[in-house]
Amino acid sequence: MRLFINYFAEPERFSPFNLLVARVVLAAYAIWKLLSYRLGELQHWPDFLFEQSLHSPFLPFVSYREYLPYVQWTIAFLIILVAIGVWRKWAAFLAALLLAHTIAIHYVVTNSGATFLPVVYALILYAVFEFQDPYHRTTLADIGRRGWTRSKSFLQPGKASRYRLDWLKWMLVVIGMTYAFTGLSKMASAQVNWFSPYNLSRTILRENIMSFGELLPAAALMIQSEVVLTMSTIATIIFEVGLILVIILRRRIDIFVLGLLGMHVMIALTMGIFFFDQFILFALFVPWDALVHRFTRGVWPTD
């Protein structure tokens, strides 16, 4: 069984179950991430930072920053509506707009909010393809009443019908393009120097000194081998640029997704930077329908 689904190659499934899982997982992640930001602190920063910023048009008036916590909870409420299946289309669209607007204001202080962009894209795409999602609040109530293993409407694949999951199809393309742009930008800025072991070792040393004042054990071990450094730089470009290629060529994406997740693990071990978000995003493309069906009823029709 595949670990991840290339929805660009297979936008149809025997069950729309993966839409429900992806919607709930994305919503839970987005709410957790959103509420972890202390947006109310922005009102204590000097006014001139916002007035002279390129992002100043996003600030209707200076005192608007005082209301950001209320906007924050409004976005969380809208995402909850999407998760439970109430007013999904307009709630997703409005949540995306408010979140993008809030990110633009937050960007004046730090660019860490840019990691919200995949959530914004996901909400917009969900609003576009919401009509393909048959699950709503009554179906969720059915699951709670009957239990996962006894809810035939969720776990039994349709025998004659197939369901389109275009939301996940285009979300996969967005993620693939994001990685491709990242890889190509490295090539454009550093060119062939990117593949030099000294380039990567210098980056590792800089991040360790700036963040920890000393080398992490994995970093100290890695910079001792030019072969490992060179292979890491080559693999990075292959996985980042290659993902979008295998997506549009309609090939299996397992190796490239695992390679990218492995890359993020190595970055965490050697530089202390953990891209937790990517693990959640790639979880959207796990064949949850097949996994649940395998453990409850047998073999999934598409295996």
Side-chain angles (χ1 to χ4, degrees):
M1 184 178 71
R2 290 162 300 177
L3 298 176
F4 302 94
I5 303 172
N6 184 351
Y7 284 103
F8 194 80
E10 303 175 56
E12 295 183 346
R13 301 287 285 177
F14 283 97
S15 166
F17 180 70
N18 289 347
L19 285 176
L20 172 67
V21 176
R23 169 158 53 92
V24 173
V25 169
L26 179 75
Y29 157 70
I31 293 171
W32 166 80
K33 184 177 179 66
L34 176 65
L35 296 184
S36 68
Y37 276 63
R38 300 171 64 181
L39 296 178
E41 297 297 323
L42 291 180
Q43 63 183 301
H44 302 304
W45 287 76
D47 293 345
F48 74 88
L49 290 177
F50 297 88
E51 294 171 353
Q52 299 177 10
S53 170
L54 293 175
H55 290 235
S56 59
F58 293 97
L59 198 63
F61 44 90
V62 177
S63 60
Y64 178 80
R65 287 176 289 158
E66 300 176 11
Y67 302 98
L68 284 177
Y70 302 103
V71 176
Q72 186 177 18
W73 282 101
T74 300
I75 297 171
F77 175 71
L78 290 171
I79 295 176
I80 290 174
L81 292 181
V82 176
I84 64 177
V86 179
W87 301 327
R88 299 175 306 189
K89 184 182 185 70
W90 296 110
F93 185 70
L94 184 57
L97 290 182
L98 288 175
L99 183 57
H101 180 256
T102 304
I103 291 171
I105 298 175
H106 186 267
Y107 201 91
V108 175
V109 176
T110 173
N111 63 358
S112 64
T115 55
F116 277 109
L117 288 177
V119 177
V120 173
Y121 300 148
L123 289 171
I124 292 175
L125 287 172
Y126 181 80
V128 172
F129 296 107
E130 180 270 344
F131 67 94
Q132 294 180 346
D133 186 354
Y135 299 128
H136 45 78
R137 59 183 181 274
T138 56
T139 317
L140 289 176
D142 181 63
I143 282 186
R145 184 174 63 255
R146 299 187 183 188
W148 289 100
T149 59
R150 292 185 298 163
S151 182
K152 293 183 179 180
S153 61
F154 278 77
L155 301 180
Q156 182 65 39
K159 299 183 182 302
S161 59
R162 294 176 68 89
Y163 299 84
R164 290 195 64 85
L165 284 68
D166 287 315
W167 172 43
L168 295 176
K169 170 186 175 180
W170 293 110
M171 192 60 206
L172 180 61
V173 172
V174 167
I175 293 176
M177 292 178 63
T178 302
Y179 273 109
F181 288 143
T182 302
L184 292 174
S185 66
K186 293 172 182 174
M187 293 293 296
S189 59
Q191 299 180 1
V192 294
N193 291 328
W194 166 257
F195 298 102
S196 169
Y198 304 106
N199 181 63
L200 180 55
S201 63
R202 183 170 59 250
T203 301
I204 293 175
L205 286 170
R206 183 179 65 248
E207 292 295 335
N208 277 258
I209 293 174
M210 290 179 60
S211 302
F212 309 106
E214 59 181 2
L215 282 176
L216 295 173
L221 184 63
M222 185 173 183
I223 62 175
Q224 294 178 15
S225 174
E226 292 187 6
V227 175
V228 173
L229 290 169
T230 303
M231 291 179 61
S232 298
T233 58
I234 295 174
T236 297
I237 298 300
I238 290 176
F239 288 131
E240 288 187 337
V241 179
L243 177 61
I244 189 62
L245 295 178
V246 295
I247 290 174
I248 62 178
L249 291 176
R250 295 177 169 82
R251 306 298 181 185
R252 292 187 60 165
I253 62 175
D254 290 1
I255 294 178
F256 286 85
V257 173
L258 292 176
L260 289 169
L261 294 179
M263 178 189 74
H264 291 308
V265 171
M266 288 301 299
I267 292 174
L269 293 175
T270 58
M271 290 183 273
I273 305 172
F274 184 42
F275 292 92
F276 171 75
D277 309 66
Q278 305 309 117
F279 288 79
I280 300 298
L281 292 175
F282 280 124
L284 303 182
F285 310 107
V286 171
W288 299 107
D289 50 9
L291 288 173
V292 173
H293 197 269
R294 182 181 294 274
F295 285 111
T296 56
R297 299 177 186 274
V299 179
W300 185 251
T302 56
D303 281 359

